[in-house]
Amino acid sequence: MSKNAEYLATLIRARAGDAPVRLGLILGSGLGHLAGAVDGVAIPYADLPGFPHAGVSGHNPNLVIGDLEGVRVAVFGGRAHYYEKGDPKVMRLPLEVLRALGADAVIATNAAGSLRPDIRPGDLMLLSDHINFSGLNPLIGEPTDARFVPMTDAHDPDLRAALRAAAAKVDVALPEGVYAWYSGPSFETPAEIRAIKILGGDAVGMSTVPEVILARFLGLRVAAVSTITNMAAGMSDEKISHEHTKAMAPLGAAKLEQVLREMLRTMR
Ligand code: HPA
């Protein structure tokens, strides 16, 4: 754990209290409202030296620490992406801080395009696994042998089972699929989407994979859920845009909130 993460954790505890955090939540595009549902303290990233600026519209750059359904959580209202500054390890410090605050698990959320005709805009998809289509890695430059992180079952089977059970309980469909990380910020071409399909991808997006790698490196269990905002490039006549992503994300976000709240209730 870096000294800076320990220092930030001390600073956060001074503002939000000492009780250990149990779970981290990283909110994707259009999902930021969930941060407002937490009964706790919001700390702007700007108050946390070294935290990324998370300057993408549709994200809310606050760390909120408090109770959601009776479980102490740390909610990252905004994430930073590789495509903002070209740094694949931009989320390392936030995840180190999460670990330093006591969490042993994190759930990442994102907006994604679907490659599966049976998974439509407004639906959710639980990541069973991922493909690092970008070839980038947040652990490049890490000097220790800890960098050789196994990625089998990277998407934690127990957390996934808990999310599936919660979804069934609140009657929300939660199919599982493989997420492919495309660096962005331009969207994919139809040819790239056909390539991802051949490779085994079910959804595509511009985030999450570096966080999953970093989480495993730091010993955090991790699972991730996509809210599908569009069919991937070339799969429908709909025009793909960031505006469209932000407009569509709330459809899935309402379902995602139900699933997450139910999962937290079972953790109480
Ligand atoms: N591609 C990449 N990222 C996305 C998409 C997409 O189609 N939709 C939402 N985020």
Side-chain angles (χ1 to χ4, degrees):
M1 195 68 56
S2 71
K3 274 217 172 76
N4 199 17
E6 296 291 359
Y7 163 73
L8 290 178
T10 308
L11 203 143
I12 291 164
R13 280 191 212 101
R15 278 170 74 163
D18 282 338
V21 165
R22 295 194 44 208
L23 180 77
L25 285 173
I26 301 175
L27 303 183
S29 291
L31 305 173
H33 78 283
L34 199 57
V38 176
D39 181 14
V41 175
I43 305 174
Y45 286 3
D47 292 357
L48 301 170
F51 256 52
H53 289 290
V56 181
S57 65
H59 289 253
N60 163 6
N62 286 291
L63 172 61
V64 185
I65 311 273
D67 285 352
L68 189 58
E69 298 294 344
V71 177
R72 187 141 168 104
V73 295
V75 179
F76 297 91
R79 67 146 60 77
H81 306 78
Y82 166 73
Y83 62 71
E84 291 172 57
K85 298 242 169 74
D87 178 7
K89 49 179 174 292
V90 63
M91 287 297 286
R92 179 164 172 165
L93 182 63
L95 286 165
E96 284 182 350
V97 168
L98 180 64
R99 194 83 174 102
L101 290 170
D104 79 333
V106 58
I107 294 178
T109 64
N110 60 53
S114 174
L115 282 77
R116 287 236 314 252
D118 61 319
I119 305 182
R120 312 289 310 169
D123 290 348
L124 302 180
M125 188 189 91
L126 175 61
L127 278 62
S128 57
D129 201 346
H130 69 237
I131 296 171
N132 187 350
F133 194 70
S134 76
L136 299 158
N137 198 298
L139 298 177
I140 290 174
E142 166 62 34
T144 66
D145 276 0
R147 64 189 157 190
F148 299 113
V149 179
M151 294 296 288
T152 312
D153 280 338
H155 296 259
D156 189 77
D158 292 341
L159 273 182
R160 280 160 51 207
L163 283 162
R164 284 195 308 266
K169 186 96 185 281
V170 293
D171 205 18
V172 167
L174 189 60
E176 285 198 310
V178 173
Y179 174 95
W181 176 32
Y182 186 78
S183 76
S186 60
F187 285 96
E188 305 75 30
T189 64
E192 285 162 345
I193 293 300
R194 289 194 297 276
I196 291 171
K197 179 102 198 146
I198 291 166
L199 293 175
D202 297 305
V204 64
M206 303 178 193
S207 67
T208 303
V209 168
E211 293 142 36
V212 170
I213 296 169
L214 285 166
R216 295 308 303 134
F217 171 69
L218 295 168
L220 287 158
R221 296 184 299 132
V222 60
V225 183
S226 293
T227 58
I228 301 300
T229 54
N230 56 280
M231 297 312 290
M235 295 190 59
S236 90
D237 296 336
E238 198 176 60
K239 210 163 161 265
I240 297 173
S241 70
H242 186 55
E243 287 313 310
H244 185 263
T245 298
K246 284 190 294 182
M248 292 299 288
L251 280 185
K255 296 180 194 169
L256 184 55
E257 178 169 346
Q258 280 181 280
V259 174
L260 291 174
R261 281 182 181 276
E262 177 58 29
M263 194 193 101
L264 288 167
R265 282 195 286 273
T266 63
M267 284 175 64
R268 262 204 294 247

